[in-house]
Amino acid sequence: MAKRTDLRPVVTLQSTAGTGFRYVTTKNRRTQPDRLVLRKFDPVAREHVDFRETR
């Protein structure tokens, strides 16, 4: 059985609005080798902002 961390690591997405809100998700290393940036809702800022992958 393959390990879960081999191809799809768990990553943390930090809000760029400076609120400190975070999302946790997984990503595919083969299709997304760079750092992930997603536009998601920040409930503290109450608007959609960019969330960037942190290490």
Side-chain angles (χ1 to χ4, degrees):
M1 180 184 281
K3 291 182 181 178
R4 181 176 172 92
T5 58
D6 286 347
L7 189 59
R8 298 194 61 86
V10 175
V11 296
T12 304
L13 301 175
Q14 178 80 32
S15 173
T16 58
T19 60
F21 192 78
R22 297 178 181 198
Y23 281 103
V24 177
T25 188
T26 61
K27 76 170 187 176
N28 189 330
R29 286 189 188 169
R30 286 192 188 139
T31 61
Q32 301 285 336
D34 301 327
R35 289 197 180 186
L36 194 59
V37 177
L38 295 175
R39 188 161 176 84
K40 295 181 71 69
F41 185 76
D42 187 339
V44 179
R46 299 181 68 184
E47 62 184 354
H48 285 84
V49 297
D50 286 340
F51 279 76
R52 297 190 185 274
E53 177 183 342
T54 59
R55 304 237 178 208

